[in-house]
Amino acid sequence: MTVQQDAPTGGAGGAGEPLEVWIDQDLCTGDGICAQYAPEVFELDIDGLAYVKSADDELLQEVGATTPVPLPLLQDVVDSAKECPGDCIHVRRVSDGVEVFGPDAE
């Protein structure tokens, strides 16, 4: 089962509101904390940087690539954003693009 087959919504900013996550590779330190917390969502590539993964478990290496945050993994993704030493993990609402977890969250 892939990540996106789980419930692809998060509760931040509204019950069941869809969230997406992306990584700013320019700030990524390659510590791999995100992949430890949520390996279904994040993975380190051969370049030593973290990336999000698609519905079919493929690394999304395009700049600004996003992937849905499944509700069962929301806390793991949030913990990844909080613990990331590079402050490079951004979780935002799909509906309006407002960051709800990460360095630019209000």
Side-chain angles (χ1 to χ4, degrees), residues 50-106:
Y51 294 87
V52 294
K53 299 197 296 190
S54 72
D56 58 358
D57 209 34
E58 180 182 336
L59 232 51
L60 301 176
Q61 295 177 304
E62 302 83 27
V63 174
T66 64
T67 198
V69 177
L71 185 56
L73 298 175
L74 176 59
Q75 191 60 53
D76 293 335
V77 172
V78 169
D79 289 344
S80 296
K82 288 180 180 178
E83 298 298 323
C84 177
D87 284 331
C88 65
I89 299 172
H90 303 265
V91 181
R92 63 185 176 203
R93 289 190 301 252
V94 172
S95 62
D96 59 9
V98 171
E99 187 162 320
V100 292
F101 300 105
D104 299 331
E106 297 179 6

mmCIF file of all heavy atoms in Angstrom, residues 50-106:
data_model
loop_
_atom_site.group_PDB
_atom_site.id
_atom_site.type_symbol
_atom_site.label_atom_id
_atom_site.label_comp_id
_atom_site.label_asym_id
_atom_site.label_seq_id
_atom_site.Cartn_x
_atom_site.Cartn_y
_atom_site.Cartn_z
ATOM 1 N N ALA A 50 17.103 14.937 1.032
ATOM 2 C CA ALA A 50 15.789 14.323 1.208
ATOM 3 C C ALA A 50 14.814 14.831 0.155
ATOM 4 O O ALA A 50 14.882 15.983 -0.281
ATOM 5 C CB ALA A 50 15.259 14.622 2.600
ATOM 6 N N TYR A 51 13.906 13.934 -0.232
ATOM 7 C CA TYR A 51 12.866 14.247 -1.198
ATOM 8 C C TYR A 51 11.563 13.608 -0.727
ATOM 9 O O TYR A 51 11.580 12.637 0.022
ATOM 10 C CB TYR A 51 13.221 13.685 -2.586
ATOM 11 C CG TYR A 51 14.428 14.334 -3.197
ATOM 12 C CD1 TYR A 51 15.705 13.858 -2.920
ATOM 13 C CD2 TYR A 51 14.297 15.431 -4.044
ATOM 14 C CE1 TYR A 51 16.830 14.468 -3.475
ATOM 15 C CE2 TYR A 51 15.423 16.034 -4.603
ATOM 16 C CZ TYR A 51 16.673 15.551 -4.308
ATOM 17 O OH TYR A 51 17.783 16.153 -4.844
ATOM 18 N N VAL A 52 10.432 14.140 -1.222
ATOM 19 C CA VAL A 52 9.145 13.491 -0.963
ATOM 20 C C VAL A 52 8.943 12.421 -2.026
ATOM 21 O O VAL A 52 9.586 12.431 -3.067
ATOM 22 C CB VAL A 52 7.978 14.510 -0.962
ATOM 23 C CG1 VAL A 52 8.120 15.474 0.199
ATOM 24 C CG2 VAL A 52 7.865 15.247 -2.279
ATOM 25 N N LYS A 53 8.010 11.501 -1.725
ATOM 26 C CA LYS A 53 7.736 10.397 -2.639
ATOM 27 C C LYS A 53 6.308 10.492 -3.178
ATOM 28 O O LYS A 53 5.405 10.974 -2.498
ATOM 29 C CB LYS A 53 7.933 9.064 -1.922
ATOM 30 C CG LYS A 53 9.357 8.893 -1.430
ATOM 31 C CD LYS A 53 9.741 7.482 -1.072
ATOM 32 C CE LYS A 53 9.008 6.876 0.063
ATOM 33 N NZ LYS A 53 9.600 5.586 0.488
ATOM 34 N N SER A 54 6.127 10.003 -4.396
ATOM 35 C CA SER A 54 4.822 10.020 -5.055
ATOM 36 C C SER A 54 3.939 8.882 -4.562
ATOM 37 O O SER A 54 4.360 8.055 -3.753
ATOM 38 C CB SER A 54 5.012 9.890 -6.568
ATOM 39 O OG SER A 54 5.421 8.573 -6.885
ATOM 40 N N ALA A 55 2.739 8.828 -5.114
ATOM 41 C CA ALA A 55 1.782 7.779 -4.767
ATOM 42 C C ALA A 55 2.315 6.386 -5.069
ATOM 43 O O ALA A 55 1.968 5.423 -4.401
ATOM 44 C CB ALA A 55 0.467 8.007 -5.503
ATOM 45 N N ASP A 56 3.174 6.287 -6.090
ATOM 46 C CA ASP A 56 3.726 4.972 -6.438
ATOM 47 C C ASP A 56 5.141 4.787 -5.891
ATOM 48 O O ASP A 56 5.923 4.016 -6.435
ATOM 49 C CB ASP A 56 3.657 4.717 -7.940
ATOM 50 C CG ASP A 56 4.397 5.769 -8.749
ATOM 51 O OD1 ASP A 56 4.926 6.724 -8.158
ATOM 52 O OD2 ASP A 56 4.449 5.626 -9.986
ATOM 53 N N ASP A 57 5.456 5.514 -4.809
ATOM 54 C CA ASP A 57 6.717 5.350 -4.073
ATOM 55 C C ASP A 57 7.940 5.837 -4.853
ATOM 56 O O ASP A 57 9.054 5.433 -4.581
ATOM 57 C CB ASP A 57 6.899 3.879 -3.665
ATOM 58 C CG ASP A 57 7.718 3.737 -2.390
ATOM 59 O OD1 ASP A 57 7.617 4.600 -1.514
ATOM 60 O OD2 ASP A 57 8.476 2.749 -2.284
ATOM 61 N N GLU A 58 7.724 6.708 -5.835
ATOM 62 C CA GLU A 58 8.813 7.242 -6.646
ATOM 63 C C GLU A 58 9.310 8.556 -6.051
ATOM 64 O O GLU A 58 8.516 9.395 -5.620
ATOM 65 C CB GLU A 58 8.312 7.488 -8.064
ATOM 66 C CG GLU A 58 9.344 8.051 -8.993
ATOM 67 C CD GLU A 58 8.771 8.324 -10.379
ATOM 68 O OE1 GLU A 58 7.772 7.685 -10.751
ATOM 69 O OE2 GLU A 58 9.313 9.194 -11.062
ATOM 70 N N LEU A 59 10.627 8.748 -6.025
ATOM 71 C CA LEU A 59 11.216 9.985 -5.547
ATOM 72 C C LEU A 59 10.841 11.122 -6.486
ATOM 73 O O LEU A 59 10.987 11.003 -7.693
ATOM 74 C CB LEU A 59 12.743 9.843 -5.524
ATOM 75 C CG LEU A 59 13.459 10.191 -4.238
ATOM 76 C CD1 LEU A 59 12.868 9.490 -3.049
ATOM 77 C CD2 LEU A 59 14.931 9.873 -4.362
ATOM 78 N N LEU A 60 10.355 12.221 -5.908
ATOM 79 C CA LEU A 60 9.983 13.396 -6.704
ATOM 80 C C LEU A 60 11.107 14.415 -6.580
ATOM 81 O O LEU A 60 11.229 15.098 -5.580
ATOM 82 C CB LEU A 60 8.663 13.982 -6.198
ATOM 83 C CG LEU A 60 7.471 13.037 -6.241
ATOM 84 C CD1 LEU A 60 6.244 13.696 -5.631
ATOM 85 C CD2 LEU A 60 7.194 12.582 -7.670
ATOM 86 N N GLN A 61 11.929 14.502 -7.610
ATOM 87 C CA GLN A 61 13.127 15.334 -7.552
ATOM 88 C C GLN A 61 12.964 16.703 -8.199
ATOM 89 O O GLN A 61 13.904 17.490 -8.190
ATOM 90 C CB GLN A 61 14.296 14.589 -8.186
ATOM 91 C CG GLN A 61 14.664 13.349 -7.405
ATOM 92 C CD GLN A 61 15.759 12.564 -8.067
ATOM 93 O OE1 GLN A 61 15.641 12.179 -9.230
ATOM 94 N NE2 GLN A 61 16.833 12.325 -7.343
ATOM 95 N N GLU A 62 11.787 16.997 -8.709
ATOM 96 C CA GLU A 62 11.554 18.314 -9.280
ATOM 97 C C GLU A 62 11.546 19.351 -8.158
ATOM 98 O O GLU A 62 11.057 19.092 -7.058
ATOM 99 C CB GLU A 62 10.214 18.373 -10.024
ATOM 100 C CG GLU A 62 10.063 17.363 -11.139
ATOM 101 C CD GLU A 62 9.613 16.000 -10.639
ATOM 102 O OE1 GLU A 62 8.947 15.912 -9.590
ATOM 103 O OE2 GLU A 62 9.971 14.995 -11.277
ATOM 104 N N VAL A 63 12.063 20.541 -8.435
ATOM 105 C CA VAL A 63 12.076 21.610 -7.443
ATOM 106 C C VAL A 63 10.640 21.931 -7.038
ATOM 107 O O VAL A 63 9.768 22.140 -7.883
ATOM 108 C CB VAL A 63 12.762 22.876 -8.009
ATOM 109 C CG1 VAL A 63 12.645 24.041 -7.043
ATOM 110 C CG2 VAL A 63 14.221 22.589 -8.320
ATOM 111 N N GLY A 64 10.383 21.944 -5.735
ATOM 112 C CA GLY A 64 9.060 22.271 -5.217
ATOM 113 C C GLY A 64 8.032 21.163 -5.313
ATOM 114 O O GLY A 64 6.849 21.399 -5.070
ATOM 115 N N ALA A 65 8.450 19.946 -5.653
ATOM 116 C CA ALA A 65 7.512 18.824 -5.769
ATOM 117 C C ALA A 65 6.819 18.579 -4.440
ATOM 118 O O ALA A 65 7.442 18.623 -3.374
ATOM 119 C CB ALA A 65 8.247 17.567 -6.221
ATOM 120 N N THR A 66 5.516 18.348 -4.495
ATOM 121 C CA THR A 66 4.728 18.095 -3.291
ATOM 122 C C THR A 66 4.109 16.710 -3.336
ATOM 123 O O THR A 66 3.985 16.106 -4.411
ATOM 124 C CB THR A 66 3.591 19.128 -3.136
ATOM 125 O OG1 THR A 66 2.674 18.974 -4.225
ATOM 126 C CG2 THR A 66 4.125 20.544 -3.093
ATOM 127 N N THR A 67 3.703 16.235 -2.167
ATOM 128 C CA THR A 67 2.969 14.982 -2.069
ATOM 129 C C THR A 67 1.932 15.139 -0.959
ATOM 130 O O THR A 67 2.161 15.879 0.001
ATOM 131 C CB THR A 67 3.920 13.793 -1.809
ATOM 132 O OG1 THR A 67 3.253 12.573 -2.126
ATOM 133 C CG2 THR A 67 4.420 13.750 -0.389
ATOM 134 N N PRO A 68 0.784 14.483 -1.073
ATOM 135 C CA PRO A 68 -0.231 14.568 -0.024
ATOM 136 C C PRO A 68 0.274 13.994 1.300
ATOM 137 O O PRO A 68 1.076 13.064 1.319
ATOM 138 C CB PRO A 68 -1.381 13.718 -0.560
ATOM 139 C CG PRO A 68 -1.162 13.648 -2.036
ATOM 140 C CD PRO A 68 0.319 13.695 -2.228
ATOM 141 N N VAL A 69 -0.236 14.551 2.394
ATOM 142 C CA VAL A 69 0.083 14.043 3.730
ATOM 143 C C VAL A 69 -1.077 13.154 4.179
ATOM 144 O O VAL A 69 -2.175 13.650 4.424
ATOM 145 C CB VAL A 69 0.277 15.184 4.751
ATOM 146 C CG1 VAL A 69 0.537 14.621 6.138
ATOM 147 C CG2 VAL A 69 1.405 16.111 4.319
ATOM 148 N N PRO A 70 -0.856 11.853 4.288
ATOM 149 C CA PRO A 70 -1.915 10.953 4.755
ATOM 150 C C PRO A 70 -2.200 11.188 6.239
ATOM 151 O O PRO A 70 -1.264 11.361 7.029
ATOM 152 C CB PRO A 70 -1.334 9.561 4.538
ATOM 153 C CG PRO A 70 -0.137 9.747 3.674
ATOM 154 C CD PRO A 70 0.349 11.128 3.919
ATOM 155 N N LEU A 71 -3.454 11.210 6.602
ATOM 156 C CA LEU A 71 -3.840 11.450 7.988
ATOM 157 C C LEU A 71 -3.132 10.516 8.972
ATOM 158 O O LEU A 71 -2.636 10.971 10.006
ATOM 159 C CB LEU A 71 -5.361 11.362 8.148
ATOM 160 C CG LEU A 71 -5.911 11.714 9.523
ATOM 161 C CD1 LEU A 71 -5.463 13.105 9.955
ATOM 162 C CD2 LEU A 71 -7.424 11.611 9.524
ATOM 163 N N PRO A 72 -3.001 9.212 8.678
ATOM 164 C CA PRO A 72 -2.312 8.328 9.629
ATOM 165 C C PRO A 72 -0.837 8.705 9.848
ATOM 166 O O PRO A 72 -0.243 8.327 10.850
ATOM 167 C CB PRO A 72 -2.411 6.940 8.997
ATOM 168 C CG PRO A 72 -3.539 7.025 8.036
ATOM 169 C CD PRO A 72 -3.570 8.447 7.553
ATOM 170 N N LEU A 73 -0.247 9.449 8.907
ATOM 171 C CA LEU A 73 1.165 9.829 9.024
ATOM 172 C C LEU A 73 1.351 11.301 9.358
ATOM 173 O O LEU A 73 2.489 11.779 9.404
ATOM 174 C CB LEU A 73 1.893 9.511 7.711
ATOM 175 C CG LEU A 73 1.919 8.041 7.326
ATOM 176 C CD1 LEU A 73 2.550 7.863 5.960
ATOM 177 C CD2 LEU A 73 2.649 7.218 8.364
ATOM 178 N N LEU A 74 0.265 12.018 9.606
ATOM 179 C CA LEU A 74 0.352 13.451 9.854
ATOM 180 C C LEU A 74 1.305 13.779 11.002
ATOM 181 O O LEU A 74 2.180 14.631 10.858
ATOM 182 C CB LEU A 74 -1.029 14.047 10.133
ATOM 183 C CG LEU A 74 -1.039 15.536 10.501
ATOM 184 C CD1 LEU A 74 -0.431 16.379 9.387
ATOM 185 C CD2 LEU A 74 -2.444 15.993 10.827
ATOM 186 N N GLN A 75 1.182 13.099 12.127
ATOM 187 C CA GLN A 75 2.045 13.408 13.269
ATOM 188 C C GLN A 75 3.509 13.137 12.949
ATOM 189 O O GLN A 75 4.393 13.909 13.338
ATOM 190 C CB GLN A 75 1.620 12.629 14.520
ATOM 191 C CG GLN A 75 2.318 13.105 15.779
ATOM 192 C CD GLN A 75 2.045 14.576 16.080
ATOM 193 O OE1 GLN A 75 0.903 15.005 16.147
ATOM 194 N NE2 GLN A 75 3.099 15.353 16.244
ATOM 195 N N ASP A 76 3.792 12.071 12.210
ATOM 196 C CA ASP A 76 5.174 11.774 11.823
ATOM 197 C C ASP A 76 5.741 12.853 10.899
ATOM 198 O O ASP A 76 6.898 13.256 11.031
ATOM 199 C CB ASP A 76 5.264 10.412 11.128
ATOM 200 C CG ASP A 76 4.964 9.258 12.068
ATOM 201 O OD1 ASP A 76 5.146 9.423 13.292
ATOM 202 O OD2 ASP A 76 4.545 8.196 11.573
ATOM 203 N N VAL A 77 4.923 13.338 9.977
ATOM 204 C CA VAL A 77 5.364 14.395 9.069
ATOM 205 C C VAL A 77 5.581 15.701 9.833
ATOM 206 O O VAL A 77 6.570 16.400 9.628
ATOM 207 C CB VAL A 77 4.357 14.572 7.907
ATOM 208 C CG1 VAL A 77 4.686 15.799 7.069
ATOM 209 C CG2 VAL A 77 4.330 13.323 7.029
ATOM 210 N N VAL A 78 4.676 16.014 10.754
ATOM 211 C CA VAL A 78 4.821 17.220 11.589
ATOM 212 C C VAL A 78 6.079 17.123 12.446
ATOM 213 O O VAL A 78 6.852 18.087 12.552
ATOM 214 C CB VAL A 78 3.568 17.435 12.464
ATOM 215 C CG1 VAL A 78 3.800 18.514 13.512
ATOM 216 C CG2 VAL A 78 2.375 17.788 11.582
ATOM 217 N N ASP A 79 6.308 15.970 13.060
ATOM 218 C CA ASP A 79 7.518 15.776 13.865
ATOM 219 C C ASP A 79 8.769 15.934 13.004
ATOM 220 O O ASP A 79 9.766 16.505 13.449
ATOM 221 C CB ASP A 79 7.514 14.401 14.541
ATOM 222 C CG ASP A 79 6.494 14.305 15.666
ATOM 223 O OD1 ASP A 79 6.001 15.354 16.141
ATOM 224 O OD2 ASP A 79 6.170 13.164 16.064
ATOM 225 N N SER A 80 8.715 15.455 11.773
ATOM 226 C CA SER A 80 9.842 15.620 10.853
ATOM 227 C C SER A 80 10.132 17.100 10.630
ATOM 228 O O SER A 80 11.289 17.527 10.670
ATOM 229 C CB SER A 80 9.536 14.972 9.505
ATOM 230 O OG SER A 80 9.380 13.586 9.628
ATOM 231 N N ALA A 81 9.073 17.865 10.382
ATOM 232 C CA ALA A 81 9.238 19.300 10.144
ATOM 233 C C ALA A 81 9.799 20.000 11.380
ATOM 234 O O ALA A 81 10.672 20.867 11.275
ATOM 235 C CB ALA A 81 7.908 19.924 9.741
ATOM 236 N N LYS A 82 9.324 19.601 12.561
ATOM 237 C CA LYS A 82 9.780 20.231 13.807
ATOM 238 C C LYS A 82 11.229 19.892 14.129
ATOM 239 O O LYS A 82 11.972 20.726 14.640
ATOM 240 C CB LYS A 82 8.892 19.798 14.977
ATOM 241 C CG LYS A 82 7.515 20.402 14.949
ATOM 242 C CD LYS A 82 6.710 19.932 16.141
ATOM 243 C CE LYS A 82 5.314 20.518 16.134
ATOM 244 N NZ LYS A 82 4.521 20.021 17.267
ATOM 245 N N GLU A 83 11.641 18.681 13.840
ATOM 246 C CA GLU A 83 12.974 18.210 14.217
ATOM 247 C C GLU A 83 14.040 18.443 13.149
ATOM 248 O O GLU A 83 15.228 18.286 13.410
ATOM 249 C CB GLU A 83 12.930 16.720 14.557
ATOM 250 C CG GLU A 83 12.030 16.380 15.740
ATOM 251 C CD GLU A 83 12.490 17.025 17.037
ATOM 252 O OE1 GLU A 83 13.711 17.130 17.264
ATOM 253 O OE2 GLU A 83 11.622 17.441 17.823
ATOM 254 N N CYS A 84 13.631 18.832 11.966
ATOM 255 C CA CYS A 84 14.568 19.001 10.852
ATOM 256 C C CYS A 84 15.589 20.099 11.162
ATOM 257 O O CYS A 84 15.209 21.254 11.355
ATOM 258 C CB CYS A 84 13.802 19.352 9.582
ATOM 259 S SG CYS A 84 14.882 19.671 8.178
ATOM 260 N N PRO A 85 16.883 19.763 11.192
ATOM 261 C CA PRO A 85 17.902 20.775 11.496
ATOM 262 C C PRO A 85 18.055 21.819 10.392
ATOM 263 O O PRO A 85 18.524 22.926 10.646
ATOM 264 C CB PRO A 85 19.193 19.968 11.664
ATOM 265 C CG PRO A 85 18.938 18.649 11.050
ATOM 266 C CD PRO A 85 17.455 18.432 11.043
ATOM 267 N N GLY A 86 17.624 21.506 9.187
ATOM 268 C CA GLY A 86 17.726 22.454 8.085
ATOM 269 C C GLY A 86 16.494 23.329 7.922
ATOM 270 O O GLY A 86 16.475 24.220 7.082
ATOM 271 N N ASP A 87 15.455 23.071 8.728
ATOM 272 C CA ASP A 87 14.185 23.807 8.593
ATOM 273 C C ASP A 87 13.735 23.863 7.138
ATOM 274 O O ASP A 87 13.394 24.914 6.611
ATOM 275 C CB ASP A 87 14.293 25.226 9.157
ATOM 276 C CG ASP A 87 14.254 25.252 10.661
ATOM 277 O OD1 ASP A 87 13.632 24.351 11.262
ATOM 278 O OD2 ASP A 87 14.857 26.173 11.250
ATOM 279 N N CYS A 88 13.725 22.699 6.493
ATOM 280 C CA CYS A 88 13.434 22.674 5.056
ATOM 281 C C CYS A 88 12.143 21.949 4.707
ATOM 282 O O CYS A 88 11.797 21.855 3.531
ATOM 283 C CB CYS A 88 14.603 22.048 4.303
ATOM 284 S SG CYS A 88 14.887 20.315 4.689
ATOM 285 N N ILE A 89 11.409 21.446 5.697
ATOM 286 C CA ILE A 89 10.178 20.695 5.434
ATOM 287 C C ILE A 89 8.986 21.619 5.625
ATOM 288 O O ILE A 89 8.823 22.234 6.679
ATOM 289 C CB ILE A 89 10.073 19.461 6.346
ATOM 290 C CG1 ILE A 89 11.257 18.530 6.088
ATOM 291 C CG2 ILE A 89 8.739 18.748 6.125
ATOM 292 C CD1 ILE A 89 11.352 17.376 7.051
ATOM 293 N N HIS A 90 8.159 21.714 4.591
ATOM 294 C CA HIS A 90 7.014 22.622 4.581
ATOM 295 C C HIS A 90 5.728 21.823 4.401
ATOM 296 O O HIS A 90 5.607 21.069 3.431
ATOM 297 C CB HIS A 90 7.145 23.626 3.440
ATOM 298 C CG HIS A 90 8.409 24.424 3.502
ATOM 299 N ND1 HIS A 90 8.473 25.661 4.095
ATOM 300 C CD2 HIS A 90 9.663 24.155 3.051
ATOM 301 C CE1 HIS A 90 9.709 26.139 3.998
ATOM 302 N NE2 HIS A 90 10.449 25.234 3.377
ATOM 303 N N VAL A 91 4.783 21.995 5.321
ATOM 304 C CA VAL A 91 3.475 21.345 5.224
ATOM 305 C C VAL A 91 2.445 22.456 5.062
ATOM 306 O O VAL A 91 2.391 23.376 5.871
ATOM 307 C CB VAL A 91 3.164 20.511 6.486
ATOM 308 C CG1 VAL A 91 1.810 19.829 6.349
ATOM 309 C CG2 VAL A 91 4.265 19.488 6.744
ATOM 310 N N ARG A 92 1.666 22.373 3.994
ATOM 311 C CA ARG A 92 0.702 23.442 3.735
ATOM 312 C C ARG A 92 -0.652 22.872 3.343
ATOM 313 O O ARG A 92 -0.757 21.727 2.889
ATOM 314 C CB ARG A 92 1.223 24.373 2.650
ATOM 315 C CG ARG A 92 1.416 23.702 1.311
ATOM 316 C CD ARG A 92 2.044 24.632 0.306
ATOM 317 N NE ARG A 92 2.306 23.918 -0.939
ATOM 318 C CZ ARG A 92 3.207 24.280 -1.818
ATOM 319 N NH1 ARG A 92 3.937 25.352 -1.622
ATOM 320 N NH2 ARG A 92 3.377 23.587 -2.926
ATOM 321 N N ARG A 93 -1.680 23.719 3.520
ATOM 322 C CA ARG A 93 -3.020 23.349 3.085
ATOM 323 C C ARG A 93 -3.072 23.379 1.567
ATOM 324 O O ARG A 93 -2.546 24.287 0.936
ATOM 325 C CB ARG A 93 -4.057 24.322 3.644
ATOM 326 C CG ARG A 93 -4.286 24.189 5.128
ATOM 327 C CD ARG A 93 -5.486 24.999 5.579
ATOM 328 N NE ARG A 93 -5.347 26.410 5.294
ATOM 329 C CZ ARG A 93 -5.134 27.354 6.210
ATOM 330 N NH1 ARG A 93 -5.038 27.040 7.481
ATOM 331 N NH2 ARG A 93 -5.029 28.618 5.844
ATOM 332 N N VAL A 94 -3.718 22.396 0.993
ATOM 333 C CA VAL A 94 -3.863 22.336 -0.456
ATOM 334 C C VAL A 94 -4.784 23.452 -0.936
ATOM 335 O O VAL A 94 -4.535 24.073 -1.973
ATOM 336 C CB VAL A 94 -4.399 20.951 -0.898
ATOM 337 C CG1 VAL A 94 -4.728 20.935 -2.372
ATOM 338 C CG2 VAL A 94 -3.389 19.861 -0.552
ATOM 339 N N SER A 95 -5.824 23.753 -0.171
ATOM 340 C CA SER A 95 -6.847 24.697 -0.617
ATOM 341 C C SER A 95 -6.326 26.109 -0.860
ATOM 342 O O SER A 95 -6.718 26.759 -1.818
ATOM 343 C CB SER A 95 -7.993 24.754 0.397
ATOM 344 O OG SER A 95 -7.516 25.218 1.655
ATOM 345 N N ASP A 96 -5.428 26.594 0.006
ATOM 346 C CA ASP A 96 -4.973 27.975 -0.143
ATOM 347 C C ASP A 96 -3.451 28.140 -0.089
ATOM 348 O O ASP A 96 -2.936 29.245 -0.181
ATOM 349 C CB ASP A 96 -5.615 28.872 0.907
ATOM 350 C CG ASP A 96 -5.318 28.447 2.336
ATOM 351 O OD1 ASP A 96 -4.473 27.551 2.553
ATOM 352 O OD2 ASP A 96 -5.945 29.020 3.249
ATOM 353 N N GLY A 97 -2.715 27.034 0.052
ATOM 354 C CA GLY A 97 -1.263 27.096 0.053
ATOM 355 C C GLY A 97 -0.641 27.662 1.312
ATOM 356 O O GLY A 97 0.566 27.901 1.354
ATOM 357 N N VAL A 98 -1.431 27.851 2.359
ATOM 358 C CA VAL A 98 -0.901 28.397 3.607
ATOM 359 C C VAL A 98 -0.141 27.321 4.364
ATOM 360 O O VAL A 98 -0.654 26.214 4.575
ATOM 361 C CB VAL A 98 -2.042 28.973 4.484
ATOM 362 C CG1 VAL A 98 -1.532 29.346 5.879
ATOM 363 C CG2 VAL A 98 -2.672 30.173 3.812
ATOM 364 N N GLU A 99 1.083 27.663 4.766
ATOM 365 C CA GLU A 99 1.909 26.723 5.511
ATOM 366 C C GLU A 99 1.393 26.606 6.941
ATOM 367 O O GLU A 99 1.225 27.604 7.640
ATOM 368 C CB GLU A 99 3.373 27.185 5.510
ATOM 369 C CG GLU A 99 4.294 26.162 6.125
ATOM 370 C CD GLU A 99 5.743 26.378 5.747
ATOM 371 O OE1 GLU A 99 6.030 26.716 4.580
ATOM 372 O OE2 GLU A 99 6.585 26.183 6.631
ATOM 373 N N VAL A 100 1.135 25.358 7.372
ATOM 374 C CA VAL A 100 0.611 25.124 8.717
ATOM 375 C C VAL A 100 1.652 24.494 9.644
ATOM 376 O O VAL A 100 1.528 24.567 10.859
ATOM 377 C CB VAL A 100 -0.671 24.268 8.679
ATOM 378 C CG1 VAL A 100 -1.813 25.055 8.043
ATOM 379 C CG2 VAL A 100 -0.465 22.961 7.939
ATOM 380 N N PHE A 101 2.671 23.866 9.066
ATOM 381 C CA PHE A 101 3.804 23.333 9.831
ATOM 382 C C PHE A 101 5.062 23.592 9.014
ATOM 383 O O PHE A 101 5.048 23.458 7.803
ATOM 384 C CB PHE A 101 3.668 21.825 10.102
ATOM 385 C CG PHE A 101 2.440 21.461 10.876
ATOM 386 C CD1 PHE A 101 1.362 20.866 10.237
ATOM 387 C CD2 PHE A 101 2.350 21.720 12.228
ATOM 388 C CE1 PHE A 101 0.226 20.522 10.936
ATOM 389 C CE2 PHE A 101 1.205 21.387 12.942
ATOM 390 C CZ PHE A 101 0.146 20.784 12.294
ATOM 391 N N GLY A 102 6.132 23.943 9.690
ATOM 392 C CA GLY A 102 7.388 24.217 9.010
ATOM 393 C C GLY A 102 7.884 25.614 9.322
ATOM 394 O O GLY A 102 7.273 26.358 10.092
ATOM 395 N N PRO A 103 8.986 26.004 8.716
ATOM 396 C CA PRO A 103 9.628 27.267 9.059
ATOM 397 C C PRO A 103 8.805 28.515 8.743
ATOM 398 O O PRO A 103 8.990 29.545 9.369
ATOM 399 C CB PRO A 103 10.923 27.254 8.231
ATOM 400 C CG PRO A 103 10.705 26.256 7.155
ATOM 401 C CD PRO A 103 9.736 25.266 7.702
ATOM 402 N N ASP A 104 7.885 28.435 7.787
ATOM 403 C CA ASP A 104 7.078 29.605 7.419
ATOM 404 C C ASP A 104 5.665 29.555 7.980
ATOM 405 O O ASP A 104 4.818 30.367 7.602
ATOM 406 C CB ASP A 104 7.019 29.749 5.893
ATOM 407 C CG ASP A 104 8.393 29.959 5.278
ATOM 408 O OD1 ASP A 104 9.263 30.527 5.956
ATOM 409 O OD2 ASP A 104 8.596 29.541 4.127
ATOM 410 N N ALA A 105 5.398 28.612 8.893
ATOM 411 C CA ALA A 105 4.057 28.492 9.486
ATOM 412 C C ALA A 105 3.791 29.672 10.407
ATOM 413 O O ALA A 105 4.685 30.181 11.068
ATOM 414 C CB ALA A 105 3.931 27.179 10.252
ATOM 415 N N GLU A 106 2.546 30.099 10.393
ATOM 416 C CA GLU A 106 2.151 31.224 11.255
ATOM 417 C C GLU A 106 1.788 30.743 12.636
ATOM 418 O O GLU A 106 1.331 29.710 12.874
ATOM 419 C CB GLU A 106 0.972 31.958 10.632
ATOM 420 C CG GLU A 106 1.345 32.565 9.300
ATOM 421 C CD GLU A 106 0.182 33.287 8.648
ATOM 422 O OE1 GLU A 106 -0.872 33.411 9.265
ATOM 423 O OE2 GLU A 106 0.357 33.722 7.517
#
